[in-house]
Amino acid sequence: MNSSLSFKAILLLLLTPAIAMAQATVSLNPTDEAPVIDKNIYGHFAEHLGRCIYDGLYVGEKSNIPNTEGVRNDIITALKELKIPNLRWPGGCFADTYHWKDGVGPQSERPTIVNTWWGNVTEDNSFGTHNFLNLCEELGAEPYLAGNVGSGEVQELADWVQYVNFDGISPMSDWRKENGREKPWGVKYWGVGNEAWGCGGNMRVEYYADIYRKYATFMSDAGMEGGLYKIASGASNDDYHWTEVLMRDIPHNLLQGVALHHYSVINWNAKGPSVGFSEEQYFKTMEQAWLMEELVTKHVEIMDKYDPKGKVDLIVDEWGGWYDVMEDTNPGFLFQQNTMRDAMIAGMTLNIFHNHARRVKMANLAQVVNVLQAVILTEGEKMILTPTYHVMKMYNVHQDAQLIPIELNTPDYEFNGEKLPAVNASASKDAEGKVHISLVNIDSKKSNTVSVDVSALNLKDFTATGLTSKTLEDHNTFESPEKIQPEQFKKFKLKNGTLEVELPPFSVVVLEGK
Ligand code: AHR
């Protein structure tokens, strides 16, 4: 008896280190009822802000940098490879000061305006509606136009819709043809203003809901099979009252989407640097990124109350990390570097959107080039892809795949007595039957072993891609553009229907099973 007890004690001692090792579990629960992950969750956002459009996407036709109608060819290629499904334009705050008629017709006749939101620079309107919509056509991406409600007029937005969508004879379609475009572009997605609670006019939601009704009424569906998809300017963060009033006071036949904006910012007055941040700043950024889970859950609860059949979608049309601008850059241009911290935000946020695919049908990362959590940075002729780009590309296998609901248990990532879930995940099955599982470990120091129960899926072969690096603030630079690259990931094995995956600290891994 004694000897058997001591044997047990020894066994326990031997096992203790393994028990103390962080262990997460994920079970996959496929069901035909699960929603499809709309590819539009992988949307991007291009505002007339800093070097996003000018000296970013758009260099002009006369530039030495190879371009198509003035848009850099290297960016076009990179965005196509990313499978960008939609692009939101021209803002942001800029949208509510933008008068689209300034940006069509002969260049020499286009007026200039001052971009009061972003650095008070002169906007010469050289990149306008034709440039943007032709770019979207080239990319195979759906355009998402944000209309000017703050300083515009109902007729102005109604005219824009007619200009880009109407095929027959009309003042606006005739003008479009004069300007060189015979066929309409057929723009489905329309934002009715932006951040109406702030830069879009500092409105109360009760007032904005009425304004929305009026604008939406005069946006004609003519020429658009299936109608327009109109998106109301939505809440900032946890302003649940905003969503409540939109859902209650706007007739749902006028409303296809309700927006939500949430940035992973530590403190608006002390955002911290994009490189050279402390662990505390990293933890707080993760806390803000993880908040998206709660925000989406609670906004969706309100939407469910007014729209139990789920006809109106939640559109997270601005999200991403926001830090102090890089030294010696214009404070109004919001130029920041993009490190492994941003890869964590991207991987985690996309997992959240996937898991809420029932209601979240579109999202737009802010912003596509040279601004905030950009997927692409440029300097003169050079262009680099950021860690965020690589995560979005690794994840694009989930686009239009059917969600596989998961159950997840995870250890915590602890810092200074505070805790966050260390591991987050999502899974889907594509049209060919391939299953993809995305895993993120945000812990800055600890590896986490994840046991993924895949027994319900009868999968035999697995491959994986991972994004890892030595330090959290590692990033790609113009001198070292490939420092962070996705690589084949081998730290996993399949045994008796369970995948054992060893996730390094701050890593993103996508597994593919067939
Ligand atoms: O993305 C930058 C700005 O953030 C947008 O212009 C505005 O909508 C938001 O406040």
Side-chain angles (χ1 to χ4, degrees), residues 20-68:
M21 252 182 69
Q23 174 86 36
T25 59
V26 176
S27 60
L28 307 185
N29 309 313
T31 155
D32 290 345
E33 312 302 307
V36 163
I37 296 171
D38 198 311
K39 67 176 178 188
N40 283 316
I41 282 173
Y42 285 75
H44 289 266
F45 172 31
E47 179 166 11
H48 286 235
L49 191 178
R51 294 174 48 244
C52 184
I53 302 289
Y54 302 113
D55 195 24
L57 272 171
Y58 184 73
V59 287
E61 286 180 45
K62 292 190 189 127
S63 170
N64 292 331
I65 300 171
N67 66 79
T68 304

Side-chain angles (χ1 to χ4, degrees), residues 72-103:
R72 293 176 69 131
N73 289 346
D74 51 1
I75 293 187
I76 291 177
T77 304
L79 293 179
K80 279 185 181 170
E81 284 171 7
L82 197 55
K83 297 200 177 139
I84 171 178
N86 70 70
L87 188 56
R88 178 174 183 246
W89 177 84
C93 294
F94 182 76
D96 282 294
T97 51
Y98 183 62
H99 300 284
W100 70 270
K101 290 179 186 174
D102 294 348

Side-chain angles (χ1 to χ4, degrees), residues 48 53-55 58-61 69-71 89 94 98 102-108 110-113 122-132:
H48 286 235
I53 302 289
Y54 302 113
D55 195 24
Y58 184 73
V59 287
E61 286 180 45
E69 289 187 26
V71 179
W89 177 84
F94 182 76
Y98 183 62
D102 294 348
V104 297
Q107 191 64 56
S108 57
R110 295 190 191 178
T112 57
I113 58 162
T122 303
E123 158 71 57
D124 70 359
N125 279 302
S126 52
F127 187 89
T129 299
H130 289 246
N131 307 76
F132 175 69

Side-chain angles (χ1 to χ4, degrees), residues 152-195:
E153 307 212 333
V154 177
Q155 189 60 51
E156 185 180 355
L157 186 50
D159 282 351
W160 205 9
V161 176
Q162 189 180 81
Y163 187 90
V164 300
N165 281 355
F166 192 62
D167 206 5
I169 295 170
S170 77
M172 291 300 118
S173 48
D174 290 352
W175 192 27
R176 180 191 72 233
K177 288 173 197 166
E178 262 171 50
N179 290 333
R181 172 77 186 200
E182 188 63 29
K183 282 277 148 211
W185 288 275
V187 178
K188 176 175 170 189
Y189 296 102
W190 292 85
V192 182
N194 168 72
E195 295 194 350

Side-chain angles (χ1 to χ4, degrees), residues 119-242:
N120 287 321
V121 292
T122 303
E123 158 71 57
D124 70 359
N125 279 302
S126 52
F127 187 89
T129 299
H130 289 246
N131 307 76
F132 175 69
L133 295 179
N134 290 347
L135 167 63
C136 288
E137 253 179 13
E138 175 66 33
L139 293 171
E142 289 274 357
Y144 168 13
L145 292 177
N148 181 345
V149 168
S151 71
E153 307 212 333
V154 177
Q155 189 60 51
E156 185 180 355
L157 186 50
D159 282 351
W160 205 9
V161 176
Q162 189 180 81
Y163 187 90
V164 300
N165 281 355
F166 192 62
D167 206 5
I169 295 170
S170 77
M172 291 300 118
S173 48
D174 290 352
W175 192 27
R176 180 191 72 233
K177 288 173 197 166
E178 262 171 50
N179 290 333
R181 172 77 186 200
E182 188 63 29
K183 282 277 148 211
W185 288 275
V187 178
K188 176 175 170 189
Y189 296 102
W190 292 85
V192 182
N194 168 72
E195 295 194 350
W197 42 264
C199 63
N202 282 308
M203 302 178 210
R204 291 171 311 110
V205 63
E206 291 76 9
Y207 177 73
Y208 171 70
D210 279 348
I211 294 272
Y212 178 96
R213 294 163 67 127
K214 184 156 93 168
Y215 272 76
T217 303
F218 294 97
M219 295 168 71
S220 164
D221 278 354
M224 282 301 291
E225 216 176 291
L228 299 181
Y229 187 104
K230 285 167 270 186
I231 300 165
S233 164
S236 169
N237 302 307
D238 60 354
D239 185 351
Y240 300 115
H241 175 68
W242 190 277

Side-chain angles (χ1 to χ4, degrees), residues 247-260:
M247 292 301 293
R248 188 193 66 204
D249 291 359
I250 300 175
H252 292 181
N253 65 322
L254 292 178
L255 182 68
Q256 285 67 47
V258 162
L260 167 67

